[in-house]
Amino acid sequence: MALLQLHDLDGERGRELRRNVFERGSLTPGYVLMCVLSAGIATFGLLQSSAAVVIGAMLVSPLMTPIAALGFGLATRDAGRLREATGVVTIGALIGIATGFLVTWISPIDDITPEIMARTQPTLLDLAVALLSGIAGGYAIVRQQGETAIGVAIATALMPPLATVGYGIAALRGDIAGGAMLLFLTNLAAIAIAIAGVARLTGAA
């Protein structure tokens, strides 16, 4: 329980933290650019079956910030913030899918690699990883330990599934696109709910 004794966040610190989370999760040109770049990197990594390149895409993906805002919107029951964060996440997801589609369409490589298949069959283990990662990310946010969010981004792998959806659409493989979308939605829901729970428990909401 000592880890969760942060109820001084009820005051000005909490308001400042929430302001920062919502500001960082807003739609900006930089967010759009990083979504395009991370999705492009992820798609090339998937097509080459290169785990190192896919991890690089996870590191530069900006999706964690609006998902954190989504979690705080849930925790604070702020409908306006919730709609805004949902819109930013949706735009990022659509950019990821479109970029994956375009890169696959123009690429001479269109083989179904192991890295692609790994993101088409979500399991309960993926859900467990996403939940634990969301808890870690939420705690890092309330403790203002932003570097931990990088580890969360890697663990939940938010952008590669979206790039895989784009690949599935370009390759006319509905099973691949559907499985990858399910994985992304599972990760999205789990991490947002976990962050919301941590925000409530610590008083940050």
Side-chain angles (χ1 to χ4, degrees):
M1 291 301 295
L3 292 176
L4 296 178
Q5 290 175 353
L6 296 168
H7 290 286
D8 56 329
L9 291 172
D10 287 340
E12 181 57 35
R13 271 189 65 203
R15 284 191 290 273
E16 182 64 25
L17 173 63
R18 291 191 292 275
R19 250 192 320 267
N20 288 338
V21 170
F22 291 131
E23 285 177 3
R24 287 169 57 85
S26 61
L27 182 64
T28 65
Y31 172 78
V32 172
L33 175 62
M34 292 304 289
C35 281
V36 172
L37 294 175
S38 61
I41 295 170
T43 307
F44 282 120
L46 293 169
L47 292 173
Q48 297 174 26
S49 197
S50 172
V53 175
V54 172
I55 290 173
M58 298 178 203
L59 288 171
V60 301
S61 171
L63 286 174
M64 272 299 299
T65 51
I67 292 176
L70 182 62
F72 269 70
L74 286 171
T76 57
R77 302 185 182 94
D78 188 327
R81 296 289 193 181
L82 195 56
R83 284 193 298 270
E84 181 181 347
T86 300
V88 177
V89 172
T90 301
I91 290 172
L94 291 175
I95 291 172
I97 293 171
T99 303
F101 172 84
L102 289 174
V103 172
T104 302
W105 187 60
I106 65 176
S107 172
I109 305 172
D110 58 1
D111 298 331
I112 302 176
T113 65
E115 285 291 326
I116 291 174
M117 291 305 300
R119 287 161 180 86
T120 61
Q121 299 172 338
T123 66
L124 288 177
L125 291 177
D126 295 311
L127 177 61
V129 169
L131 281 171
L132 293 176
S133 300
I135 294 171
Y139 188 69
I141 290 168
V142 299
R143 292 300 301 270
Q144 298 182 356
Q145 296 172 333
E147 64 277 4
T148 306
I150 295 176
V152 175
I154 294 174
T156 55
L158 296 167
M159 188 57 78
L162 292 172
T164 304
V165 173
Y167 169 89
I169 295 173
L172 301 179
R173 289 291 303 268
D175 54 335
I176 290 178
M181 179 56 77
L182 180 59
L183 176 59
F184 171 75
L185 292 176
T186 298
N187 289 341
L188 170 63
I191 195 169
I193 291 171
I195 288 175
V198 172
R200 296 293 298 180
L201 286 173
T202 60

